[in-house]
Amino acid sequence: MRFTFLNLVAATSVAAIAGAPAIAQSGADGQVETPEIVSELFECREIADPQARLACFDREVARVYEAQNARELVIADREQVRETKRGLFGLKLPKLGILGGDDDADDVNELTATLVSVRKLENGRHVFTLEDGVRWLQTESVSGYQRYKVGDSIVIKKAALGSFKAKVNGKRAMRVRRLN
């Protein structure tokens, strides 16, 4: 995808930082603080003289570009952030604010996937492997005969107190825990 300058400025507003040089953190108001290198780019807008403003933009965009290539700055659009959140669904992670702050609008509360592997344990519980390779362990017994197979649809939802419940093919819900 080719970025114009305005796309770059828009994309940097949802920038996530990786590595030691700068890590995005939530400020007192709960908003993700803009990294210094991006703030300096934004400050170019305040320059009244068009030639000086363009020179500032050229200089600062080059710095942002170099930081991105050096992996000191990671620029992600909303869809990339949602996909990352989906991949992290079920993991206990600290709230760092690097994936969009505390905005609950993009939070992943439910995951629908297909089983690529089902393994029954000696205690009668199961380990479910999803198409993305993530494994979930059934942590409670379910009454009645339950048979799960490769290709079945599984829906995993957030439940109370940080737990998760899963339904396979719409059958009775059971508590599960992510393994990897």
Side-chain angles (χ1 to χ4, degrees):
M1 173 188 283
R2 187 169 171 223
F3 280 101
T4 65
F5 175 73
L6 292 177
N7 293 113
L8 176 64
V9 172
T12 56
S13 66
V14 292
I17 305 304
I23 295 182
Q25 304 214 353
S26 294
D29 60 358
Q31 295 292 325
V32 175
E33 293 179 14
T34 303
E36 183 179 342
I37 193 168
V38 176
S39 293
E40 291 169 1
L41 171 66
F42 290 165
E43 288 172 9
C44 294
R45 298 177 305 164
E46 306 299 321
I47 299 172
D49 177 47
Q51 289 184 337
R53 186 172 55 248
L54 180 58
C56 179
F57 275 127
D58 287 346
R59 179 183 66 248
E60 297 304 323
V61 166
R63 288 184 60 223
V64 168
Y65 181 78
E66 289 169 11
Q68 184 183 15
N69 282 344
R71 298 185 185 256
E72 294 172 356
L73 176 71
V74 177
I75 300 173
D77 63 19
R78 183 174 296 263
E79 187 55 37
Q80 290 169 317
V81 170
R82 287 182 62 87
E83 200 56 36
T84 299
K85 284 183 177 183
R86 185 182 187 283
L88 297 173
F89 181 77
L91 293 176
K92 305 266 190 248
L93 300 171
K95 291 246 183 206
L96 298 175
I98 61 173
L99 294 177
D102 295 329
D103 182 15
D104 293 334
D106 286 332
D107 275 359
V108 176
N109 296 310
E110 179 179 307
L111 176 73
T112 302
T114 302
L115 298 178
V116 295
S117 171
V118 179
R119 185 171 52 117
K120 189 170 185 176
L121 304 176
E122 291 180 16
N123 62 6
R125 297 180 182 168
H126 296 83
V127 174
F128 304 105
T129 305
L130 311 185
E131 65 247 358
D132 58 2
V134 175
R135 295 179 309 131
W136 290 81
L137 172 67
Q138 177 184 356
T139 59
E140 70 177 352
S141 297
V142 178
S143 62
Y145 179 73
Q146 300 291 325
R147 182 178 170 137
Y148 311 110
K149 62 186 181 314
V150 171
D152 283 350
S153 174
I154 186 169
V155 177
I156 303 171
K157 294 182 179 184
K158 285 185 179 179
L161 303 173
S163 65
F164 296 87
K165 286 208 164 205
K167 283 186 176 185
V168 178
N169 285 342
K171 295 178 183 173
R172 187 175 195 160
M174 69 193 108
R175 290 202 185 279
V176 293
R177 176 174 51 90
R178 183 171 169 163
L179 294 175
N180 63 339

